[in-house]
Amino acid sequence: MQPTVTADLAARPVEAERPLLSYRDEATGERVDLTAQQVGQWAARSASLLRDGCGLGPGSRVAVLLPPHWRTAAVLLGAWASGLAVSFRPRATAGLPVLEPGGDRPFDAVLVTPERQDDWLEDVPDAPHRYLVGTGPGRLDDVPLGWLDWSAEVLRHSDTTPDHTAIHASDPASADGTTYGQWGALAQEFATMLDLRAGDRLLVDAAETEQPLKWLLAPLSVGASVVISANLDPARRDAVVAAERITRVL
């Protein structure tokens, strides 16, 4: 993970028309394909929302309770491009105490799906800036008082990479204190474990892999592309692999 991640994505030497990130919902048929430039543009919008819309910057803390999804990629890349410390909370941790260092400190923003926001098991952190992030197409139909629809709000901001934020490898990229440099090294190590290389196409089962280190940072660190499959029937996995020309499966 590089501090200038949105600019790096836009300039990544990938075929211009080839998707860098694809999302497909096997239950609804929804599909979104984003090139490297488009991923960079969405990340830039997200960074502008957090920086200009919320006034956040290095030292600010953001809680992210989102599944593998193209919007989650935009949220995370935008937050990291702004120098924010992210607390990523997988759904599997619902109902469990937060054990990360500084877990009792207040957050400056929280982003969560409507389903998790309504789940009685979830202890959704409070924050001055609260966004619901839908996983379906379009905007949300019903947004509770005190919350904003991320999909609507992010479109108010430019898709041009914001002015550079000075970020150092020793700065915390996550709320537990793990630095940008450490996350970058971990991403490279995991990519090596998967034998991921530039040009590979990685299939991610959204129900099986929540950690963005695995489905986002590792493949992007080596120039591989990602196909996120939601509601994937194991019996259809081979068909998806063939249709998407998958070279690696997570």
Side-chain angles (χ1 to χ4, degrees):
M1 173 174 29
Q2 299 297 323
T4 54
V5 67
T6 54
D8 290 346
L9 280 171
R12 187 178 294 279
V14 179
E15 295 176 33
E17 300 303 319
R18 182 180 178 182
L20 175 68
L21 180 64
S22 297
Y23 174 82
R24 47 185 290 163
D25 189 326
E26 310 300 331
T28 66
E30 178 193 1
R31 183 186 184 97
V32 176
D33 292 299
L34 300 175
T35 65
Q37 181 179 13
Q38 290 169 325
V39 172
Q41 288 170 335
W42 278 105
R45 287 186 186 274
S46 182
S48 295
L49 171 62
L50 294 167
R51 292 172 55 177
D52 303 332
C54 301
L56 307 186
S60 299
R61 290 161 43 92
V62 178
V64 176
L65 291 78
L66 303 174
H69 193 275
W70 70 267
R71 290 190 180 113
T72 305
V75 166
L76 292 172
L77 295 174
W80 284 320
S82 303
L84 311 184
V86 174
S87 173
F88 182 81
R89 305 186 180 196
R91 184 146 199 172
T93 64
L96 300 177
V98 178
L99 301 179
E100 66 185 15
D104 56 345
R105 287 178 52 199
F107 287 94
D108 299 289
V110 59
L111 301 100
V112 61
T113 61
E115 296 80 11
R116 292 184 68 175
Q117 192 265 339
D118 286 336
D119 189 341
W120 66 273
L121 277 176
E122 290 282 4
D123 183 16
V124 179
D126 196 11
H129 305 282
R130 302 189 293 175
Y131 294 94
L132 293 181
V133 183
T135 55
R139 301 180 182 183
L140 298 174
D141 294 328
D142 185 24
V143 179
L145 184 65
W147 291 82
L148 293 173
D149 180 356
W150 181 89
S151 296
E153 296 301 316
V154 77
L155 290 176
R156 302 180 191 275
H157 295 269
S158 172
D159 62 4
T160 301
T161 302
D163 293 338
H164 177 67
T165 298
I167 302 171
H168 306 286
S170 58
D171 291 340
S174 53
D176 64 1
T178 304
T179 67
Y180 281 88
Q182 289 170 328
W183 276 118
L186 287 170
Q188 292 280 347
E189 289 176 13
F190 193 75
T192 300
M193 287 175 54
L194 289 179
D195 195 26
L196 270 177
R197 303 176 186 179
D200 273 333
R201 194 152 167 81
L202 177 69
L203 177 63
V204 176
D205 185 340
E208 297 295 328
T209 304
E210 291 189 88
Q211 289 292 347
L213 170 67
K214 299 178 179 181
W215 66 264
L216 180 65
L217 298 182
L220 293 191
S221 72
V222 294
S225 59
V226 181
V227 178
I228 302 169
S229 182
N231 300 304
L232 177 61
D233 182 350
R236 293 202 66 253
R237 186 187 300 269
D238 289 345
V240 173
V241 167
E244 296 288 349
R245 299 182 180 180
I246 298 298
T247 60
R248 295 286 185 274
V249 177
L250 185 57

